[in-house]
Amino acid sequence: MTQPKPAGFGDSLTIPLFVAFLAYCIIVFAPQVLNDGDTYWHITTGERMIASHAVISRDPFSYTFAGAPWQTQEWLSEVLMAAAYMMGGWNGLVILFGLAGGAAAGFLAFHLGKWLDRPSQLLILFLGLCCAAPSLLARPHLLALPILELWTMGLLFASHERRAPSWLLLPLMTLWANLHGSFLLGLALVGLLGVEALLSSDRKMQVMKDWGLFGVAALIAALITPHGIEGIIFPVHLMSMTGLSFIGEWQSASFEKLQPLELVIFAALYVGFTRDLKLPPLRILILILFLYLALQHARHQIVFAIVAPLLLAEGLAQTKSVRAQNTDNRFATPSFVALAIAMLLAAGLRFANPIVRKDDPVSPITALAHVPAALAQMPVLNDYAFGGYLIFKGVKPFIDSRADLYGDAYLQNYATIIHPDRQAFDRAVARYRVRWAMFNPASPVLSLMESSSQWQRLYADKFAVVYALKK
């Protein structure tokens, strides 16, 4: 079995540190990072928890589900986001996510370098990071990404070295469970790689004991959250919801245009057909499982981008001779110091050119400014994408992206309303005493208000249209 290269420094740090800095800069300076309306309500949630010194357990934002039970699964991420925003505004927020993204990319580059030569390392890094690019958004999943990488690599090294996973990984699981619901994938990896270790070992009872005890400990570590067992159940419940089908990130991958995931699949097929790639059968099944998740839900592509290269690295290393990298660690400290200085300089450049939010598909800034203050406090029927911004500005929405709060029936009814369906629209207006509406100009539901004498247009631009119910 191919041995991983020594965990040296010197030249072996060049690529990881460069990749970490590159990913950091991309996130800090790319406008795309703030292209998600969820960012708004995550910040607002964190601000409330910081002010109250308590984790929110009931909805304080919408008027349709006000006071309903709501599990803030990502409470720690939200507190970190709010703290970064309170200290540095939008600049501080993107720097927080730049640090997380840079750490994940650097860890991935470093661990791939333990197995692969530089051309292979760079190619796989390029494909993986391209696959992750569409999900580089200022949301909790990005803060959990470094933990996903470290956890996966820790389990893979334990399997390779035919030993139990290090118990030093357990604090990572507790941190992960408080940052984002993807920790459940980490628990699944323990079971899957534990079975792989069992099948490849001659000491099956010892492997069962070692991995079984670690699995139980990991589960206990995941329970150390404000939500306990409910925190374990929540991700399963969310993924089983049928009303998610009209939400972009929960839809299947679309290949109408060339996507990074396609390039990864093509590259994997090329390697599989042209090289003597050897992977354990269960490792192949794990890869297929993560590929299935990436194809089924767009939001899982970033998980696949981190996990798949690590799962493949050992097998790829066996297809060719791999030279050990320089293990001279004399330059380790200067390298990290240089990286820190470069990141500080980039942060200074970011603050020298502060981010100013403008109208965009999730930020109807000008449109909301044209709504009279008294009307803005009345019930609104809003576009799904605008819910986060409305919460951020203190306006209680009809709906936002907290799908778990609203539930399948409500989400499906909303989809019917905006289809549009006149009866469902009128029922919602009457039941919730809606007095104004704000939607994307392309929304079909606008036709109902355009054709009705009861509604009048207050404002319109290329991002939002505002209507008010006539008195």
Side-chain angles (χ1 to χ4, degrees):
M1 183 177 290
T2 302
Q3 294 296 318
K5 288 177 282 186
F9 294 94
D11 289 346
S12 65
L13 277 179
T14 303
I15 291 176
L17 293 182
F18 174 76
V19 169
F21 180 67
L22 180 62
Y24 169 82
C25 288
I26 289 173
I27 294 172
V28 167
F29 292 102
Q32 169 202 327
V33 177
L34 297 176
N35 282 357
D36 196 294
D38 288 17
T39 304
Y40 286 117
W41 68 257
H42 282 305
I43 292 172
T44 307
T45 301
E47 288 176 335
R48 282 189 174 242
M49 289 191 286
I50 290 173
S52 64
H53 303 287
V55 174
I56 294 174
S57 59
R58 294 189 175 274
D59 174 36
F61 300 130
S62 77
Y63 71 89
T64 47
F65 277 72
W70 174 46
Q71 186 178 131
T72 48
Q73 172 80 34
E74 301 151 338
W75 73 273
L76 183 56
S77 291
E78 289 158 349
V79 167
L80 293 174
M81 290 173 67
Y85 179 78
M86 292 164 69
M87 289 188 291
W90 295 111
N91 303 298
L93 186 75
V94 296
I95 287 172
L96 169 68
F97 282 94
L99 291 171
F107 290 150
L108 180 61
F110 182 71
H111 289 136
L112 289 178
K114 288 177 173 290
W115 294 104
L116 306 174
D117 61 4
R118 287 193 174 180
S120 300
Q121 179 190 22
L122 289 171
L123 177 60
I124 293 176
L125 274 172
F126 174 76
L127 291 172
L129 296 180
C130 283
C131 191
S135 298
L136 295 181
L137 300 166
R139 290 175 48 183
H141 71 276
L142 196 53
L143 297 180
L145 213 58
I147 301 177
L148 169 66
E149 200 284 339
L150 291 173
W151 180 266
T152 304
M153 199 65 248
L155 297 181
L156 287 171
F157 271 129
S159 177
H160 171 79
E161 296 170 0
R162 301 183 184 280
R163 59 171 174 80
S166 171
W167 285 53
L168 294 175
L169 291 172
L170 296 178
L172 289 179
M173 176 53 67
T174 298
L175 180 61
W176 194 357
N178 287 279
L179 287 171
H180 190 253
S182 58
F183 75 92
L184 206 60
L185 294 174
L187 294 178
L189 277 171
V190 175
L192 293 168
L193 291 174
V195 172
E196 179 184 281
L198 177 66
L199 294 176
S200 63
S201 175
D202 296 328
R203 302 179 302 135
K204 297 193 182 300
M205 291 302 298
Q206 186 63 42
V207 171
M208 290 178 62
K209 176 183 176 182
D210 290 343
W211 282 79
L213 286 175
F214 181 82
V216 171
L219 179 60
I220 293 172
L223 290 171
I224 306 175
T225 73
H227 312 293
I229 189 64
E230 290 297 323
I232 302 287
I233 297 171
F234 173 83
V236 178
H237 166 70
L238 182 63
M239 291 188 66
S240 67
M241 291 179 61
T242 59
L244 301 175
S245 57
F246 80 97
I247 302 173
E249 65 177 312
W250 288 99
Q251 293 175 353
S252 300
S254 171
F255 297 123
E256 293 180 1
K257 298 180 179 179
L258 184 63
Q259 300 292 326
L261 182 60
E262 289 180 89
L263 298 178
V264 173
I265 295 173
F266 294 152
L269 289 173
Y270 174 80
V271 171
F273 283 118
T274 60
R275 297 191 181 187
D276 186 22
L277 180 61
K278 295 179 180 179
L279 290 174
L282 191 58
R283 183 75 59 91
I284 296 173
L285 290 177
I286 297 172
L287 275 167
I288 291 174
L289 171 62
F290 278 90
L291 177 59
Y292 169 78
L293 289 174
L295 293 171
Q296 190 73 9
H297 302 129
R299 65 182 278 142
H300 287 123
Q301 291 183 20
I302 194 169
V303 174
F304 180 77
I306 295 295
V307 175
L310 296 174
L311 292 172
L312 282 168
E314 181 180 357
L316 288 171
Q318 294 179 24
T319 65
K320 58 194 300 186
S321 61
V322 180
R323 293 182 304 150
Q325 292 184 17
N326 183 3
T327 60
D328 186 358
N329 62 5
R330 289 176 298 170
F331 304 104
T333 299
S335 297
F336 281 111
V337 171
L339 176 65
I341 292 173
M343 286 184 166
L344 285 173
L345 290 173
L349 183 60
R350 176 72 280 172
F351 277 101
N353 298 272
I355 297 171
V356 178
R357 299 304 302 268
K358 299 178 181 179
D359 290 318
D360 61 45
V362 298
S363 310
I365 299 172
T366 305
L368 185 60
H370 280 78
V371 178
L375 181 61
Q377 297 307 309
M378 296 181 182
V380 61
L381 181 62
N382 61 279
D383 196 293
Y384 180 89
F386 294 162
Y389 182 74
L390 293 178
I391 289 173
F392 184 73
K393 300 302 289 186
V395 177
K396 294 184 178 296
F398 181 88
I399 194 171
D400 56 82
S401 58
R402 295 172 297 158
D404 54 296
L405 168 68
Y406 294 101
D408 281 326
Y410 192 84
L411 290 173
Q412 290 166 0
N413 182 57
Y414 178 78
T416 302
I417 291 170
I418 64 173
H419 181 67
D421 182 294
R422 170 66 71 178
Q423 291 183 341
F425 176 83
D426 290 340
R427 283 196 302 268
V429 169
R431 177 180 177 182
Y432 296 104
R433 299 181 181 180
V434 172
R435 290 297 175 266
W436 62 290
M438 182 163 62
F439 283 90
N440 182 292
S443 178
V445 75
L446 292 178
S447 63
L448 297 182
M449 288 174 279
E450 286 281 3
S451 61
S452 173
S453 60
Q454 296 179 329
W455 291 86
Q456 62 178 347
R457 180 183 291 195
L458 293 184
Y459 177 81
D461 58 33
K462 67 177 182 179
F463 295 109
V465 179
V466 179
Y467 277 87
L469 193 63
K470 295 180 180 177
K471 296 181 180 180

